[in-house]
Amino acid sequence: MHYVERMRAIRRFTVRPVLPEPIAALGVLAGNLRWSWHPATQDVFAEVSPEAWAATHDPVHVLGSASRERLDALAADDGFRQRLGDAAASLDRYLADDRWYQRQQHDGPRAIAYFSPEFGITAVLPQYSGGLGILAGDHLKAASDLGAPIVGVGLLYRHGYFAQSLSREGWQQEGYPLLDPDELPITALREADGSLATISIGQPGDRDLVARIWVARVGRVPLLMLDTDVEGAPDHHVAVTDRLYGGNSEHRLRQELLLGVGGVRALRAWSRITGAVEPEVYHTNEGHAGFQGIERIRELTASGLSFDAALEVCRASTVFTTHTPVPAGIDRFPRSLIEQYFAEGAATPGVPLDRVLAFGAESYAGGDPGVFNMAVLGFRLAQRANGVSQLHGHVSREMFHGLWPAFDEAEVPITSITNGVHAPTWVAREFQELVAELGADADGDPAAFQAAIEAAPFGRVWELKHALRERLVDDARARLRASWRGRGAADAELGWIDDALDPDVLTIGFARRVPSYKRLTLMLRDPERLKRLLLDPERPVQLVIAGKAHPADDGGKKLIQELVRFADDPEVRHRIVFLPNYDIAMALPLYPGCDVWLNNPLRPYEACGTSGMKAALNGGLNLSILDGWWDEWFDGDNGWAIPSADGVDDADKRDDLEATALYDLIEREIAPRFYDAGADGVPVRWLEMMRHTFVSLAPKVLATRMVRDYVRLLYSPAAASARGLDATAATDLAAWKARIAAGWPGVRVEHVESDGAGDAAEVGAVLSVRAFVALGALSPDDVAVQLVSGRPVGDDEIADPQLAPLDVVETYEGGRYCVAGSIPLDRSGAFGYTVRVVPAGAHLASVAELGLVATA
Ligand SMILES: *Cc1c(COP(=O)(O)O)cnc(C)c1O
């Protein structure tokens, strides 16, 4: 592994600005990341130093670079003090007011811990690589806006992910600038005596891994970030939090141990020091944080519970979200590494190694016995789990069906909550102001929002969109110039950049990470055809493209190079640009500046995708494969669907078909509509489509909708389950499950009889069913006997089955029962039914939970 060479100062410290008392509130505002979605607070910092603000958008930097004289002048400026006072009062109210969560009748959790390997909150805290991190950041922000009591748990990476630049030849270069925590908007968690709060984790044959805890304030939400760069730590310990998604398997495992096990210990330190209530629910955002469950089982067994009772408590209070159907996106460790790190006395003392190993074992058809799978661990340690769009929920149920093989895919206990985006962060300020002027906001009453959008004059919206396109063009030119200088070009060669891109031309954006399934270069499938689209004399289009390839992914870097080479061509370089170093800072002007947002993944590998939602909220029209969220919410009029050639096995053929469809849509539908303007220059049909996009998508794609869904569908039920499991109930539940599993071989449906519906049943008839079941050592209270009915498909499946209970009508010797019930036949057509027995108990969240079923 290589680390950047660094000249280590023998001692370092940061000179913190001393703010004159009248403007001390600047420090408070800089210390809470709410400024990143609050324009009035941003204006205050811009006033401190317009130049420093324009260059960095970083309040800590702005304050650090302001001169004594400047600060004194501001302290004496009544107008400034007034604006500062308003911003500070707004933050105070924001932090103290009752919000949606406080106004609910529900019995939601008192606190929720949200674990994620990455958090993308603002460009000045670069602790993310892509969608997963941005989503986590938006989740915290929306939770804060709603007053949901979340505490985030993550790591602080000294180099973040990486900074991308290009070589002369267009090959991706990675840089790892060192982040100085003193220059970041975070503070150290300290004990009452002022010493640093730390946690430690036992390591096999090594000293304990020690980490300190940083705290970022995301509005009302604290985010705890663990950092192994502590005084006296050996280099290989300091390296654990060096960078996001870098290093080999062992490095990754150490990071995940720190995030999961260390994260729980950090939460305990946080509560001990600040008095914060302990979380009732633990949400693991993707498999990386799965070890949190093992640490909680350790705690619970240390407090006297049996292992199995502790497991029940852990499961009841844990929510697991899976984020990718791409096999390479799932963490799988060599089993031997887990054996090493969870050996007795290591990370979680007292937790038996064989139980840990069993949690991550791929013990299903096609599984690899040498592997420990973090997604599988996530499902086994969480009673509730979800995917991140309806389609992804479906794909996940198929993908992880092996964990519940006795059940049909539809009953695999993985639900879905579709991702959303944080509008106050992502919607251009001008759009927010326009909507506010019309008396609404995207997060408020949907009907008022719709009315405001419908009242917005087209001419005004079009003018605004032009201004946003101009802003993007300016930003892109500056980035292009910097990139070309880095690639070794002299200024004299760069005159063309002054005319690169055009604020009057139809602008298509494409920016995302560069794993192969996202197909960065699909647009290059027919380079001549793309050129004709770009250079069309009447209806040209321009493309703004960005994205990072993982440092170890040479395939991805080749795709970037291919694209950069195409874009370097003097014939087209004014119409297609690749901008290096896609990050939040670039994304903020990019989405509003685009007319069309392109996404062409290989269906169904895009679990959700969120960039298209951000574009839509800024009046961008989506042009996308029907994958992820777009599969769910495309309605035929709010953008365009690129037909997917899913069924075509030949990958080249599939790419050809989909690329052709993409060119056709741009040429025949998109460009003609965009350029079809009246005498006033306003393309009415385009604006109608924009308006429809706002109205149809705005309420759905919001992160506040997503967080409300999590509260309602997962967090509150998890809290209720957890509250129902005190030590006695948990012990009873564990014993009950063991008894059910032991007795299940004796459970059978022996015989089924029916009447009222022969071969000639008519709609309106009643089907009465009697069944004889053997329960062996189990009692009728342990199970539910169900009549499963519906339309038969294939050999032995019933589509969308209806369930009706069958009740005991007679009891016989030897644990045998007769059960009976009836259902009306209210639909014509083919009909099939069967009878099954499943475990049933108050503490189960799904019939499939134990994986046990006995069918006729
Ligand atoms: C929204 C966003 C992403 C995620 O985009 P996807 O459509 O989910 O691929 C990645 N990076 C940045 C900087 C973003 O803002």
Side-chain angles (χ1 to χ4, degrees), residues 423-471:
T425 296
W426 295 110
V427 178
R429 178 176 185 167
E430 291 82 351
F431 270 125
Q432 296 190 45
E433 285 167 356
L434 175 61
V435 173
E437 202 182 294
L438 296 164
D441 80 273
D443 255 336
D445 172 27
F449 177 77
Q450 180 169 347
I453 292 298
E454 277 160 7
F458 277 175
R460 182 84 191 278
V461 173
W462 195 235
E463 212 175 280
L464 209 163
K465 195 73 195 173
H466 191 268
L468 296 171
R469 226 182 281 120
E470 257 174 346
R471 182 187 300 164

Short mmCIF file of all heavy atoms in Angstrom, two decimals, residues 423-471:
data_model
loop_
_atom_site.label_atom_id
_atom_site.label_comp_id
_atom_site.label_asym_id
_atom_site.label_seq_id
_atom_site.Cartn_x
_atom_site.Cartn_y
_atom_site.Cartn_z
N ALA A 423 -34.11 18.78 -0.76
CA ALA A 423 -34.37 19.92 -1.65
C ALA A 423 -33.64 21.20 -1.24
O ALA A 423 -33.06 21.88 -2.09
CB ALA A 423 -35.88 20.16 -1.76
N PRO A 424 -33.63 21.58 0.05
CA PRO A 424 -32.97 22.85 0.38
C PRO A 424 -31.48 22.85 0.00
O PRO A 424 -30.91 23.91 -0.25
CB PRO A 424 -33.15 22.95 1.90
CG PRO A 424 -34.36 22.11 2.20
CD PRO A 424 -34.32 20.99 1.20
N THR A 425 -30.86 21.68 -0.04
CA THR A 425 -29.46 21.62 -0.47
C THR A 425 -29.35 21.72 -1.99
O THR A 425 -28.47 22.41 -2.51
CB THR A 425 -28.82 20.28 -0.04
OG1 THR A 425 -28.80 20.22 1.38
CG2 THR A 425 -27.39 20.14 -0.57
N TRP A 426 -30.21 21.01 -2.69
CA TRP A 426 -29.97 20.75 -4.10
C TRP A 426 -30.72 21.65 -5.07
O TRP A 426 -30.38 21.72 -6.24
CB TRP A 426 -30.27 19.28 -4.43
CG TRP A 426 -29.34 18.36 -3.72
CD1 TRP A 426 -29.65 17.51 -2.69
CD2 TRP A 426 -27.93 18.20 -3.97
NE1 TRP A 426 -28.52 16.83 -2.29
CE2 TRP A 426 -27.46 17.24 -3.05
CE3 TRP A 426 -27.03 18.77 -4.87
CZ2 TRP A 426 -26.12 16.84 -3.00
CZ3 TRP A 426 -25.70 18.38 -4.83
CH2 TRP A 426 -25.26 17.43 -3.90
N VAL A 427 -31.78 22.31 -4.60
CA VAL A 427 -32.53 23.14 -5.53
C VAL A 427 -31.89 24.52 -5.61
O VAL A 427 -31.59 25.13 -4.58
CB VAL A 427 -34.01 23.25 -5.11
CG1 VAL A 427 -34.77 24.16 -6.06
CG2 VAL A 427 -34.65 21.87 -5.07
N ALA A 428 -31.66 25.00 -6.81
CA ALA A 428 -31.04 26.30 -7.01
C ALA A 428 -31.82 27.34 -6.20
O ALA A 428 -33.05 27.35 -6.18
CB ALA A 428 -31.04 26.67 -8.48
N ARG A 429 -31.06 28.19 -5.58
CA ARG A 429 -31.66 29.21 -4.74
C ARG A 429 -32.73 30.01 -5.48
O ARG A 429 -33.79 30.32 -4.93
CB ARG A 429 -30.51 30.12 -4.30
CG ARG A 429 -30.94 31.25 -3.46
CD ARG A 429 -29.72 32.01 -3.02
NE ARG A 429 -30.11 33.06 -2.10
CZ ARG A 429 -29.24 33.72 -1.37
NH1 ARG A 429 -27.96 33.44 -1.44
NH2 ARG A 429 -29.66 34.66 -0.55
N GLU A 430 -32.45 30.31 -6.75
CA GLU A 430 -33.40 31.12 -7.52
C GLU A 430 -34.75 30.43 -7.66
O GLU A 430 -35.80 31.07 -7.62
CB GLU A 430 -32.83 31.41 -8.92
CG GLU A 430 -31.63 32.35 -8.92
CD GLU A 430 -30.30 31.65 -8.60
OE1 GLU A 430 -30.32 30.46 -8.22
OE2 GLU A 430 -29.26 32.30 -8.73
N PHE A 431 -34.72 29.11 -7.85
CA PHE A 431 -35.98 28.36 -7.93
C PHE A 431 -36.70 28.37 -6.59
O PHE A 431 -37.91 28.54 -6.52
CB PHE A 431 -35.74 26.91 -8.37
CG PHE A 431 -35.79 26.70 -9.85
CD1 PHE A 431 -34.74 26.11 -10.52
CD2 PHE A 431 -36.91 27.09 -10.58
CE1 PHE A 431 -34.77 25.91 -11.89
CE2 PHE A 431 -36.96 26.90 -11.96
CZ PHE A 431 -35.88 26.31 -12.62
N GLN A 432 -35.92 28.19 -5.53
CA GLN A 432 -36.54 28.20 -4.20
C GLN A 432 -37.20 29.56 -3.94
O GLN A 432 -38.29 29.64 -3.38
CB GLN A 432 -35.50 27.91 -3.11
CG GLN A 432 -34.89 26.52 -3.21
CD GLN A 432 -34.05 26.15 -1.99
OE1 GLN A 432 -34.45 26.37 -0.86
NE2 GLN A 432 -32.87 25.58 -2.21
N GLU A 433 -36.50 30.61 -4.37
CA GLU A 433 -37.04 31.96 -4.14
C GLU A 433 -38.29 32.20 -4.96
O GLU A 433 -39.26 32.82 -4.49
CB GLU A 433 -35.96 33.02 -4.42
CG GLU A 433 -34.94 33.05 -3.28
CD GLU A 433 -33.67 33.84 -3.61
OE1 GLU A 433 -33.54 34.32 -4.75
OE2 GLU A 433 -32.81 33.94 -2.72
N LEU A 434 -38.27 31.70 -6.19
CA LEU A 434 -39.45 31.88 -7.05
C LEU A 434 -40.67 31.17 -6.43
O LEU A 434 -41.77 31.74 -6.37
CB LEU A 434 -39.17 31.32 -8.45
CG LEU A 434 -40.35 31.32 -9.43
CD1 LEU A 434 -40.86 32.74 -9.69
CD2 LEU A 434 -39.97 30.66 -10.76
N VAL A 435 -40.46 29.95 -5.98
CA VAL A 435 -41.56 29.19 -5.39
C VAL A 435 -42.04 29.88 -4.10
O VAL A 435 -43.24 30.00 -3.85
CB VAL A 435 -41.15 27.73 -5.13
CG1 VAL A 435 -42.23 26.99 -4.37
CG2 VAL A 435 -40.87 27.01 -6.45
N ALA A 436 -41.08 30.40 -3.32
CA ALA A 436 -41.45 31.08 -2.07
C ALA A 436 -42.26 32.33 -2.38
O ALA A 436 -43.25 32.64 -1.71
CB ALA A 436 -40.19 31.44 -1.29
N GLU A 437 -41.84 33.03 -3.43
CA GLU A 437 -42.54 34.24 -3.85
C GLU A 437 -44.00 33.92 -4.20
O GLU A 437 -44.90 34.72 -3.98
CB GLU A 437 -41.82 34.77 -5.08
CG GLU A 437 -42.00 36.20 -5.41
CD GLU A 437 -41.23 36.49 -6.70
OE1 GLU A 437 -39.97 36.41 -6.70
OE2 GLU A 437 -41.90 36.76 -7.69
N LEU A 438 -44.19 32.71 -4.73
CA LEU A 438 -45.54 32.29 -5.11
C LEU A 438 -46.26 31.63 -3.94
O LEU A 438 -47.32 31.02 -4.10
CB LEU A 438 -45.49 31.35 -6.31
CG LEU A 438 -44.93 32.01 -7.59
CD1 LEU A 438 -44.54 30.96 -8.62
CD2 LEU A 438 -45.93 32.98 -8.18
N GLY A 439 -45.64 31.70 -2.77
CA GLY A 439 -46.35 31.31 -1.56
C GLY A 439 -46.28 29.84 -1.20
O GLY A 439 -47.19 29.32 -0.56
N ALA A 440 -45.23 29.15 -1.61
CA ALA A 440 -45.17 27.71 -1.28
C ALA A 440 -43.72 27.30 -1.04
O ALA A 440 -42.80 28.10 -1.21
CB ALA A 440 -45.75 26.89 -2.42
N ASP A 441 -43.52 26.07 -0.60
CA ASP A 441 -42.18 25.50 -0.65
C ASP A 441 -42.31 23.99 -0.89
O ASP A 441 -43.33 23.38 -0.55
CB ASP A 441 -41.35 25.83 0.60
CG ASP A 441 -41.67 24.96 1.78
OD1 ASP A 441 -42.62 25.31 2.52
OD2 ASP A 441 -41.01 23.93 1.94
N ALA A 442 -41.26 23.45 -1.50
CA ALA A 442 -41.34 22.06 -1.96
C ALA A 442 -41.60 21.10 -0.80
O ALA A 442 -42.19 20.05 -0.98
CB ALA A 442 -40.06 21.68 -2.70
N ASP A 443 -41.13 21.47 0.39
CA ASP A 443 -41.29 20.60 1.54
C ASP A 443 -42.61 20.83 2.29
O ASP A 443 -42.89 20.18 3.27
CB ASP A 443 -40.13 20.81 2.53
CG ASP A 443 -39.14 19.66 2.46
OD1 ASP A 443 -39.56 18.57 2.03
OD2 ASP A 443 -37.99 19.86 2.83
N GLY A 444 -43.38 21.80 1.82
CA GLY A 444 -44.62 22.13 2.53
C GLY A 444 -45.80 21.37 1.97
O GLY A 444 -45.67 20.24 1.49
N ASP A 445 -46.95 22.01 1.98
CA ASP A 445 -48.18 21.40 1.51
C ASP A 445 -48.08 21.13 0.00
O ASP A 445 -47.87 22.05 -0.79
CB ASP A 445 -49.34 22.37 1.83
CG ASP A 445 -50.63 21.90 1.20
OD1 ASP A 445 -50.77 20.68 0.98
OD2 ASP A 445 -51.48 22.77 0.92
N PRO A 446 -48.22 19.88 -0.44
CA PRO A 446 -48.07 19.56 -1.86
C PRO A 446 -49.05 20.31 -2.76
O PRO A 446 -48.71 20.70 -3.87
CB PRO A 446 -48.32 18.05 -1.93
CG PRO A 446 -48.17 17.55 -0.54
CD PRO A 446 -48.46 18.68 0.38
N ALA A 447 -50.27 20.53 -2.25
CA ALA A 447 -51.26 21.22 -3.08
C ALA A 447 -50.84 22.67 -3.32
O ALA A 447 -50.96 23.19 -4.43
CB ALA A 447 -52.62 21.15 -2.42
N ALA A 448 -50.33 23.31 -2.26
CA ALA A 448 -49.87 24.70 -2.39
C ALA A 448 -48.68 24.76 -3.34
O ALA A 448 -48.56 25.68 -4.17
CB ALA A 448 -49.49 25.27 -1.03
N PHE A 449 -47.81 23.75 -3.24
CA PHE A 449 -46.64 23.72 -4.11
C PHE A 449 -47.09 23.58 -5.57
O PHE A 449 -46.63 24.30 -6.46
CB PHE A 449 -45.72 22.56 -3.72
CG PHE A 449 -44.53 22.42 -4.62
CD1 PHE A 449 -43.45 23.29 -4.50
CD2 PHE A 449 -44.49 21.45 -5.61
CE1 PHE A 449 -42.36 23.17 -5.34
CE2 PHE A 449 -43.41 21.32 -6.46
CZ PHE A 449 -42.34 22.19 -6.32
N GLN A 450 -48.02 22.68 -5.79
CA GLN A 450 -48.52 22.47 -7.15
C GLN A 450 -49.15 23.75 -7.71
O GLN A 450 -48.90 24.13 -8.85
CB GLN A 450 -49.53 21.33 -7.16
CG GLN A 450 -50.08 21.06 -8.55
CD GLN A 450 -50.87 19.76 -8.61
OE1 GLN A 450 -50.81 18.94 -7.69
NE2 GLN A 450 -51.60 19.58 -9.70
N ALA A 451 -49.93 24.41 -6.86
CA ALA A 451 -50.57 25.65 -7.31
C ALA A 451 -49.52 26.70 -7.65
O ALA A 451 -49.64 27.42 -8.65
CB ALA A 451 -51.51 26.16 -6.21
N ALA A 452 -48.46 26.78 -6.84
CA ALA A 452 -47.40 27.76 -7.09
C ALA A 452 -46.71 27.46 -8.41
O ALA A 452 -46.45 28.35 -9.22
CB ALA A 452 -46.39 27.75 -5.94
N ILE A 453 -46.42 26.18 -8.65
CA ILE A 453 -45.75 25.81 -9.89
C ILE A 453 -46.64 26.15 -11.08
O ILE A 453 -46.18 26.66 -12.10
CB ILE A 453 -45.42 24.29 -9.88
CG1 ILE A 453 -44.34 24.00 -8.83
CG2 ILE A 453 -44.97 23.82 -11.25
CD1 ILE A 453 -43.04 24.70 -9.07
N GLU A 454 -47.92 25.87 -10.94
CA GLU A 454 -48.82 26.14 -12.06
C GLU A 454 -48.98 27.64 -12.31
O GLU A 454 -49.24 28.05 -13.43
CB GLU A 454 -50.17 25.44 -11.85
CG GLU A 454 -50.04 24.00 -12.31
CD GLU A 454 -51.08 23.04 -11.76
OE1 GLU A 454 -52.02 23.51 -11.10
OE2 GLU A 454 -50.92 21.83 -12.00
N ALA A 455 -48.75 28.42 -11.26
CA ALA A 455 -48.88 29.87 -11.42
C ALA A 455 -47.60 30.52 -11.94
O ALA A 455 -47.61 31.69 -12.34
CB ALA A 455 -49.28 30.50 -10.08
N ALA A 456 -46.49 29.78 -11.92
CA ALA A 456 -45.22 30.39 -12.30
C ALA A 456 -45.24 30.71 -13.80
O ALA A 456 -45.48 29.83 -14.62
CB ALA A 456 -44.07 29.44 -11.98
N PRO A 457 -45.01 31.98 -14.16
CA PRO A 457 -45.05 32.35 -15.58
C PRO A 457 -43.90 31.70 -16.36
O PRO A 457 -42.76 31.72 -15.91
CB PRO A 457 -44.88 33.87 -15.57
CG PRO A 457 -44.86 34.29 -14.14
CD PRO A 457 -44.68 33.10 -13.28
N PHE A 458 -44.23 31.11 -17.52
CA PHE A 458 -43.22 30.43 -18.33
C PHE A 458 -42.03 31.33 -18.67
O PHE A 458 -40.88 30.92 -18.63
CB PHE A 458 -43.85 29.91 -19.63
CG PHE A 458 -44.56 28.58 -19.46
CD1 PHE A 458 -45.27 28.04 -20.52
CD2 PHE A 458 -44.49 27.87 -18.27
CE1 PHE A 458 -45.92 26.82 -20.40
CE2 PHE A 458 -45.14 26.65 -18.14
CZ PHE A 458 -45.86 26.12 -19.21
N GLY A 459 -42.36 32.59 -19.02
CA GLY A 459 -41.28 33.49 -19.42
C GLY A 459 -40.26 33.65 -18.30
O GLY A 459 -39.04 33.62 -18.51
N ARG A 460 -40.75 33.77 -17.12
CA ARG A 460 -39.92 33.95 -15.94
C ARG A 460 -39.06 32.69 -15.69
O ARG A 460 -37.85 32.77 -15.45
CB ARG A 460 -40.88 34.20 -14.78
CG ARG A 460 -40.34 34.46 -13.45
CD ARG A 460 -39.94 35.90 -13.23
NE ARG A 460 -39.18 35.94 -11.98
CZ ARG A 460 -39.74 35.96 -10.78
NH1 ARG A 460 -41.06 36.05 -10.67
NH2 ARG A 460 -39.00 35.93 -9.70
N VAL A 461 -39.71 31.52 -15.77
CA VAL A 461 -38.99 30.27 -15.53
C VAL A 461 -37.90 30.07 -16.58
O VAL A 461 -36.78 29.66 -16.27
CB VAL A 461 -39.98 29.08 -15.53
CG1 VAL A 461 -39.24 27.75 -15.45
CG2 VAL A 461 -40.97 29.21 -14.39
N TRP A 462 -38.22 30.41 -17.81
CA TRP A 462 -37.27 30.20 -18.89
C TRP A 462 -36.05 31.12 -18.75
O TRP A 462 -34.91 30.72 -18.97
CB TRP A 462 -37.97 30.41 -20.24
CG TRP A 462 -37.19 29.89 -21.40
CD1 TRP A 462 -36.80 30.59 -22.51
CD2 TRP A 462 -36.68 28.55 -21.55
NE1 TRP A 462 -36.08 29.77 -23.35
CE2 TRP A 462 -36.00 28.51 -22.78
CE3 TRP A 462 -36.73 27.41 -20.77
CZ2 TRP A 462 -35.36 27.36 -23.25
CZ3 TRP A 462 -36.10 26.26 -21.23
CH2 TRP A 462 -35.43 26.24 -22.46
N GLU A 463 -36.31 32.33 -18.33
CA GLU A 463 -35.24 33.30 -18.10
C GLU A 463 -34.31 32.79 -16.99
O GLU A 463 -33.09 32.83 -17.09
CB GLU A 463 -35.91 34.58 -17.61
CG GLU A 463 -35.26 35.88 -17.97
CD GLU A 463 -36.18 37.01 -17.49
OE1 GLU A 463 -37.17 37.30 -18.20
OE2 GLU A 463 -35.94 37.53 -16.39
N LEU A 464 -34.98 32.27 -15.96
CA LEU A 464 -34.22 31.76 -14.82
C LEU A 464 -33.33 30.58 -15.24
O LEU A 464 -32.17 30.47 -14.89
CB LEU A 464 -35.25 31.29 -13.79
CG LEU A 464 -34.89 31.33 -12.33
CD1 LEU A 464 -36.18 31.23 -11.52
CD2 LEU A 464 -34.01 30.17 -12.00
N LYS A 465 -33.94 29.70 -16.03
CA LYS A 465 -33.19 28.53 -16.48
C LYS A 465 -31.98 28.97 -17.32
O LYS A 465 -30.90 28.38 -17.24
CB LYS A 465 -34.13 27.62 -17.29
CG LYS A 465 -33.63 26.23 -17.53
CD LYS A 465 -33.66 25.34 -16.30
CE LYS A 465 -32.81 24.10 -16.53
NZ LYS A 465 -32.64 23.26 -15.34
N HIS A 466 -32.16 30.01 -18.12
CA HIS A 466 -31.05 30.52 -18.92
C HIS A 466 -29.92 31.00 -18.01
O HIS A 466 -28.75 30.72 -18.24
CB HIS A 466 -31.52 31.65 -19.84
CG HIS A 466 -30.50 32.03 -20.87
ND1 HIS A 466 -29.58 33.03 -20.65
CD2 HIS A 466 -30.23 31.53 -22.10
CE1 HIS A 466 -28.79 33.14 -21.71
NE2 HIS A 466 -29.16 32.24 -22.60
N ALA A 467 -30.30 31.71 -16.96
CA ALA A 467 -29.28 32.22 -16.03
C ALA A 467 -28.54 31.05 -15.38
O ALA A 467 -27.32 31.11 -15.17
CB ALA A 467 -29.94 33.09 -14.96
N LEU A 468 -29.25 29.99 -15.07
CA LEU A 468 -28.61 28.84 -14.43
C LEU A 468 -27.69 28.11 -15.42
O LEU A 468 -26.63 27.61 -15.04
CB LEU A 468 -29.67 27.89 -13.87
CG LEU A 468 -30.52 28.50 -12.75
CD1 LEU A 468 -31.70 27.60 -12.39
CD2 LEU A 468 -29.67 28.78 -11.51
N ARG A 469 -28.10 28.10 -16.69
CA ARG A 469 -27.24 27.51 -17.71
C ARG A 469 -25.95 28.35 -17.84
O ARG A 469 -24.85 27.81 -17.96
CB ARG A 469 -27.99 27.46 -19.04
CG ARG A 469 -27.87 26.12 -19.76
CD ARG A 469 -28.60 26.13 -21.10
NE ARG A 469 -30.02 25.96 -20.98
CZ ARG A 469 -30.94 26.83 -21.40
NH1 ARG A 469 -30.58 27.98 -21.98
NH2 ARG A 469 -32.22 26.58 -21.26
N GLU A 470 -26.12 29.66 -17.79
CA GLU A 470 -24.94 30.54 -17.87
C GLU A 470 -23.98 30.29 -16.71
O GLU A 470 -22.77 30.25 -16.89
CB GLU A 470 -25.40 32.00 -17.80
CG GLU A 470 -25.39 32.68 -19.12
CD GLU A 470 -25.98 34.09 -19.09
OE1 GLU A 470 -26.66 34.45 -18.09
OE2 GLU A 470 -25.78 34.79 -20.08
N ARG A 471 -24.55 30.12 -15.54
CA ARG A 471 -23.71 29.88 -14.37
C ARG A 471 -22.93 28.57 -14.54
O ARG A 471 -21.74 28.49 -14.25
CB ARG A 471 -24.57 29.80 -13.11
CG ARG A 471 -23.75 29.61 -11.85
CD ARG A 471 -24.63 29.37 -10.65
NE ARG A 471 -25.52 30.48 -10.42
CZ ARG A 471 -26.60 30.44 -9.64
NH1 ARG A 471 -26.92 29.32 -9.01
NH2 ARG A 471 -27.35 31.49 -9.46
#
